[in-house]
Amino acid sequence: MSMPAIEVRALVTHYGPRLILDEVDFEVAQGEIMVIMGGSGSGKSTLLRHLLGLNTPTRGAIRLLGQDITTASPDQMHALRRNMGVSFQGGALFGSMTVLENVMLPLREHTRLDEQTMAIMARMKLEVVSLGGLGHLMPAQLSGGMVKRAALARAIVMDPRLLFFDEPSAGLDPVVSAELDELILKLRDSMRMSIVVVTHELESAFKIADRITVLDHGKILLTGGVDEVRNSRNERVQDLLHRRPRREEIDADAYLHRLTGG
């Protein structure tokens, strides 16, 4: 049995006294697309930041490709990031650089390749995301969907083993969103990447996921296949799937405590 690409064990995180992630436990197999879903404030964005090594948890372990990043040295993290690609929600392209220059950035950071070789590799990845011949454009000249694809080209320019997406379909029309979903599936199948997608878009999640992890109030409600999630009898899971408002019980003492600033 092959080693999981990602392992998260007993992960706990606090922001000050506030508990954000509570004993989160899951793994992502090699070549698998794992979708992380949850409502606003569920902890999914914090979890993604931990997986990227940007935040330090209160306790617990996170292993990427066998390396525990909670105890890794800066040199170990630098080496590991050569095998990681990230596509941020807004694209995070540098507006002062052309699309081609943006895609070349990881190569400049992590390799000693000559300029021509880096440019060729970047153009190859732009072809993969259907932006061939557009590398000379500035980010401001791109549509929202094109920005997402350019950011994806940058994320995969070094052929990473791990690929992370933050809300890939956010702000896109249904057709462009569907095209991006197909591209994610193509990357999984052709490059055998292990992919983590954080999203609240149900249609996209059900289309691309091999498995789904559902978070709520920092806890995992369920990890399973698409059908398992669809048919779950967990009330909160069904609330998320059917966009039903959360039913909160008010603690009168806690409410009064907040009002009085005590």
Side-chain angles (χ1 to χ4, degrees), residues 33 35 174-185 188 201-210 212 226 230:
I33 297 177
V35 170
V175 173
V176 175
S177 178
E179 291 172 348
L180 193 58
D181 290 340
E182 290 292 342
L183 186 53
I184 292 171
L185 291 170
R188 189 271 313 272
E201 300 283 349
L202 291 177
E203 187 174 352
S204 176
F206 290 151
K207 180 177 179 179
I208 66 175
D210 292 308
I212 297 173
V226 170
R230 283 186 191 273

Side-chain angles (χ1 to χ4, degrees), residues 164-227:
F164 299 90
F165 282 95
D166 184 14
E167 299 285 2
S169 301
L172 302 181
D173 67 60
V175 173
V176 175
S177 178
E179 291 172 348
L180 193 58
D181 290 340
E182 290 292 342
L183 186 53
I184 292 171
L185 291 170
K186 183 172 76 171
L187 289 172
R188 189 271 313 272
D189 295 338
S190 62
M191 303 178 75
R192 296 304 299 164
M193 292 178 179
S194 302
I195 301 175
V196 174
V197 180
V198 171
T199 186
H200 66 277
E201 300 283 349
L202 291 177
E203 187 174 352
S204 176
F206 290 151
K207 180 177 179 179
I208 66 175
D210 292 308
R211 288 191 301 147
I212 297 173
T213 291
V214 183
L215 276 177
D216 186 51
H217 286 98
K219 288 180 174 289
I220 290 182
L221 298 180
L222 172 68
T223 296
V226 170
D227 288 341

Side-chain angles (χ1 to χ4, degrees), residues 40 50 65 70 82 90 109 120 169 180 195 208 225 228 255:
S40 178
H50 283 312
L65 305 176
T70 61
R82 293 172 60 94
E109 177 72 19
I120 290 172
S169 301
L180 193 58
I195 301 175
I208 66 175
E228 188 176 350
Y255 179 66

Side-chain angles (χ1 to χ4, degrees), residues 21-254:
L21 296 175
D22 187 5
E23 298 291 339
V24 170
D25 219 276
F26 72 98
E27 63 183 43
V28 181
Q30 295 186 33
E32 178 181 41
I33 297 177
M34 171 67 80
V35 170
I36 299 173
M37 289 176 50
S40 178
S42 63
K44 59 185 187 298
S45 294
T46 297
L47 176 57
L48 179 61
R49 291 182 62 83
H50 283 312
L51 294 175
L52 298 177
L54 300 176
N55 285 10
T56 301
T58 304
R59 64 176 182 271
I62 304 171
R63 294 183 180 87
L64 305 183
L65 305 176
Q67 173 73 59
D68 188 343
I69 65 173
T70 61
T71 58
S73 68
D75 286 344
Q76 288 172 322
M77 282 303 302
H78 186 77
L80 184 59
R81 286 197 169 104
R82 293 172 60 94
N83 284 304
M84 297 168 57
V86 187
S87 183
F88 296 99
Q89 180 174 345
L93 300 180
F94 289 91
S96 60
M97 298 179 179
T98 66
V99 170
L100 184 66
E101 289 169 338
N102 269 280
V103 177
M104 290 170 63
L105 276 176
L107 299 172
R108 294 191 193 280
E109 177 72 19
H110 295 288
T111 76
R112 296 181 180 179
L113 298 171
D114 63 83
E115 193 76 10
Q116 184 177 11
T117 300
M118 289 191 292
I120 290 172
M121 292 176 67
R123 290 189 185 103
M124 288 173 64
K125 291 307 189 287
L126 286 171
E127 292 286 347
V128 170
V129 301
S130 302
L131 291 179
L134 301 181
H136 64 285
L137 296 179
M138 304 300 289
Q141 296 174 292
L142 304 180
S143 68
M146 293 167 74
V147 167
K148 296 269 192 179
R149 284 186 278 151
L152 177 54
R154 183 177 60 187
I156 64 172
V157 72
M158 293 184 61
D159 297 326
R161 295 170 62 187
L162 303 177
L163 183 59
F164 299 90
F165 282 95
D166 184 14
E167 299 285 2
S169 301
L172 302 181
D173 67 60
V175 173
V176 175
S177 178
E179 291 172 348
L180 193 58
D181 290 340
E182 290 292 342
L183 186 53
I184 292 171
L185 291 170
K186 183 172 76 171
L187 289 172
R188 189 271 313 272
D189 295 338
S190 62
M191 303 178 75
R192 296 304 299 164
M193 292 178 179
S194 302
I195 301 175
V196 174
V197 180
V198 171
T199 186
H200 66 277
E201 300 283 349
L202 291 177
E203 187 174 352
S204 176
F206 290 151
K207 180 177 179 179
I208 66 175
D210 292 308
R211 288 191 301 147
I212 297 173
T213 291
V214 183
L215 276 177
D216 186 51
H217 286 98
K219 288 180 174 289
I220 290 182
L221 298 180
L222 172 68
T223 296
V226 170
D227 288 341
E228 188 176 350
V229 172
R230 283 186 191 273
N231 299 322
S232 171
R233 296 185 178 181
N234 184 291
E235 183 177 1
R236 184 59 190 139
V237 171
Q238 290 301 317
D239 286 345
L240 287 167
L241 297 185
H242 295 95
R243 302 182 66 183
R244 294 195 294 251
R246 190 180 304 172
R247 290 171 291 279
E248 298 276 7
E249 291 189 7
I250 297 176
D251 184 319
D253 291 335

